[in-house]
Amino acid sequence: MAFHGSKCCRFIVGRHYDVKALSTQRVKLFVPSSTPKLLRWYSSATQEENELELVSLANSSAAVPATKIGTTQELAVPVGQRQRLNEEVLPFSAFLTDNFGRQHSYLRISLTEKCNLRCQYCMPEEGVKLTPRAQLLSTSEVLTVAQLFVREGVEKIRLTGGEPLIRPDVLDIITELRKLEGLKTIAVTTNGMNLVRLLPKLKEAGLDLLNISLDTLVPAKFEFIVRRKGFHKVMEGIDKAIEMGYNPVKVNCVVMRGLNEDELLDFVALTEKKPLEVRFIEYMPFDGNKWNFKKMVSYQEMLDRIRQQWPSLEQLPLGKTDTAKTFKVPGFQGQVGFITSMSDQFCGSCNRLRITADGNLKVCLFGNTEVSLRDVLRSGASDQKLLDIIGAAVGRKKKQHADRLKCRMGPRI
């Protein structure tokens, strides 16, 4: 039976094959050319029909000596039959590996849809219709989902919103996340309004990284962009984070033509004396932000403008899964980065999955498809059932997002 090479085999059926031939990135099942047909393929989009099903497990369990191997086939194995391999063979979960070999070790969890700001690029002035509280993930549900993903290989969790620091149990969540074996990094993306008050307790709870959103260094413009007061609170929060040893403190700046692109150089200048990483984000289309292509300032345009002021600006090495292209002015404490979602997408190295506040799994920020984990959790389903659903969703992740798709929530999801 012929299979397309893009289908990724995710675990071994049986234990009698030559494991030395297995790649740590993609597992190949070696099958003699005379082996009976073992699998049938369902092509429709439901969970059950998106699986490959073993038709004759008894036949497949027979030992196949390595010396008699004839042809090789790269097979996609049934979601319901996947298992984690011994670390020496496959050190990453099959459920979190997609058909393009991308291993998703980074999970973003939205703790709330609420926000105490109304940023123009994120949501309309009147806000968004909120999901009823009973339909949001509870504290225990957030931790159950997190534990499951960490057990399967997630090493970094970022808490987002809305504004995550307005959720009353955020400290409890971070404290419990810190106890998860295998979780290396806990991060938060915040607007900084409550940061000064909460930061000591956040650090004590185990918070490792901070991203603070700030789109202007002009107080009056800040109020115009976010439709609220609070510029000085955010600046105090940034200084407090530096004081408490966070290095670098990442500052997210969405650049919009006619609004704040004239402040690029001022933001870069901030990195001279402070250990900041200012990340310039290309203006992206989200529901309610009335996106217009003319408002977008491309990465290349921003870079050219900065290089006119600092010709010695040098690019730093890019990590395998980095989303930001980072640069540094020699002699400056900090650095700058560019999130190029619109002009130079980085889908090929994406290792991110997202859980919305109401418990839906999104495998792509720009994708329209969501799968409810909340409903499965509340039905009393087993971890295996949850993993099957997660694995099926990850398996359907596309090679790259379409240009100018809209996300259901703002950019902090």
Side-chain angles (χ1 to χ4, degrees):
M1 184 175 184
F3 285 83
H4 295 293
S6 63
K7 298 298 177 186
C8 179
C9 177
R10 294 183 182 163
F11 86 75
I12 304 304
V13 182
R15 297 171 182 260
H16 303 288
Y17 301 106
D18 183 4
V19 296
K20 291 182 180 179
L22 302 176
S23 163
T24 58
Q25 296 295 326
R26 176 173 289 186
V27 181
K28 290 186 177 180
L29 178 60
F30 293 86
V31 189
S33 56
S34 59
T35 300
K37 179 166 62 176
L38 302 176
L39 307 169
R40 68 173 180 265
W41 170 250
Y42 294 92
S43 60
S44 60
T46 64
Q47 178 195 343
E48 292 79 8
E49 294 172 340
N50 261 309
E51 301 177 356
L52 283 169
E53 184 180 45
L54 289 177
V55 176
S56 179
L57 281 173
N59 290 338
S60 71
S61 64
V64 182
T67 57
K68 294 184 179 180
I69 288 174
T71 60
T72 63
Q73 296 177 356
E74 192 172 38
L75 304 179
V77 177
V79 173
Q81 296 293 329
R82 295 176 190 165
Q83 298 174 358
R84 292 199 69 177
L85 291 178
N86 183 292
E87 279 194 8
E88 294 179 2
V89 179
L90 183 64
F92 195 81
S93 171
F95 296 94
L96 302 185
T97 304
D98 68 18
N99 288 339
F100 305 96
R102 293 173 296 200
Q103 298 177 338
H104 297 82
S105 59
Y106 180 4
L107 180 67
R108 299 171 67 97
I109 303 176
S110 174
L111 295 184
T112 179
E113 296 171 351
K114 294 180 180 179
C115 188
N116 45 2
L117 301 181
R118 292 292 181 270
C119 300
Q120 294 192 29
Y121 54 81
C122 186
M123 65 171 70
E125 186 172 4
E126 65 275 13
V128 296
K129 184 178 180 180
L130 298 175
T131 301
R133 184 175 179 179
Q135 296 179 26
L136 301 178
L137 290 183
S138 66
T139 307
S140 62
E141 288 170 336
V142 168
L143 295 173
T144 296
V145 169
Q147 183 179 36
L148 186 65
F149 275 89
V150 170
R151 196 174 70 206
E152 293 302 311
V154 161
E155 296 180 337
K156 179 178 180 179
I157 290 179
R158 178 174 295 280
L159 303 177
T160 68
E163 170 48 44
L165 298 189
I166 65 175
R167 178 156 167 160
D169 59 353
V170 63
L171 291 172
D172 296 329
I173 289 174
I174 294 174
T175 299
E176 293 304 312
L177 288 177
R178 188 73 283 165
K179 298 176 183 178
L180 296 181
E181 184 178 355
L183 183 61
K184 296 180 179 178
T185 304
I186 302 173
V188 161
T189 297
T190 174
N191 60 32
M193 296 291 283
N194 296 330
L195 197 53
V196 170
R197 175 173 58 87
L198 289 176
L199 194 51
K201 291 182 179 179
L202 288 168
K203 189 173 182 65
E204 182 181 352
L207 182 66
D208 300 302
L209 295 177
L210 268 172
N211 286 51
I212 303 170
S213 298
L214 179 66
D215 304 309
T216 179
L217 299 174
V218 180
K221 194 186 292 186
F222 175 92
E223 187 173 340
F224 174 76
I225 293 174
V226 308
R227 303 184 178 107
R228 299 288 188 275
K229 296 181 183 296
F231 171 78
H232 296 292
K233 288 184 178 180
V234 179
M235 295 303 294
E236 289 170 9
I238 292 173
D239 290 337
K240 184 70 172 179
I242 295 172
E243 177 189 324
M244 295 191 66
Y246 286 95
N247 185 0
V249 175
K250 294 184 178 181
V251 175
N252 293 345
C253 176
V254 177
V255 181
M256 296 160 280
R257 193 179 305 281
L259 192 58
N260 64 347
E261 89 277 16
D262 59 328
E263 296 186 61
L264 286 170
L265 303 184
D266 295 331
F267 271 102
V268 176
L270 278 182
T271 69
E272 181 176 5
K273 303 295 184 182
K274 297 181 178 182
L276 301 175
E277 181 180 323
V278 177
R279 296 153 67 91
F280 297 116
I281 302 173
E282 290 180 338
Y283 181 47
M284 295 181 288
F286 291 91
D287 288 338
N289 74 355
K290 299 178 181 179
W291 188 85
N292 186 316
F293 180 78
K294 294 180 180 179
K295 294 181 181 180
M296 192 195 86
V297 183
S298 72
Y299 148 66
Q300 193 59 55
E301 181 180 343
M302 289 187 273
L303 183 61
D304 290 345
R305 189 174 300 187
I306 294 169
R307 275 208 163 120
Q308 288 178 6
Q309 178 68 26
W310 291 283
S312 60
L313 185 73
E314 56 187 22
Q315 186 165 8
L316 302 178
L318 188 66
K320 181 180 177 181
T321 58
D322 287 349
T323 56
K325 298 174 177 64
T326 53
F327 294 77
K328 185 180 182 70
V329 178
F332 280 24
Q333 282 194 45
Q335 60 197 42
V336 297
F338 301 88
I339 308 294
T340 62
S341 302
M342 300 303 295
S343 67
D344 186 14
Q345 61 190 19
F346 35 81
C347 302
S349 61
C350 180
N351 69 334
R352 291 153 177 78
L353 298 172
R354 291 170 172 82
I355 306 292
T356 63
D358 54 353
N360 286 346
L361 171 65
K362 287 177 67 72
V363 298
C364 175
L365 175 62
F366 285 92
N368 295 320
T369 303
E370 299 181 359
V371 178
S372 178
L373 302 184
R374 176 202 64 204
D375 294 346
V376 182
L377 271 172
R378 294 182 182 180
S379 72
S382 65
D383 285 358
Q384 183 62 47
K385 180 67 173 178
L386 272 169
L387 285 173
D388 289 346
I389 292 171
I390 293 167
V394 172
R396 290 193 294 267
K397 184 169 181 175
K398 296 179 180 179
K399 186 175 182 179
Q400 64 183 46
H401 66 71
D403 291 337
R404 301 186 210 172
L405 287 178
K406 290 186 177 181
C407 175
R408 76 188 272 272
M409 286 290 289
R412 296 192 182 97
I413 191 171

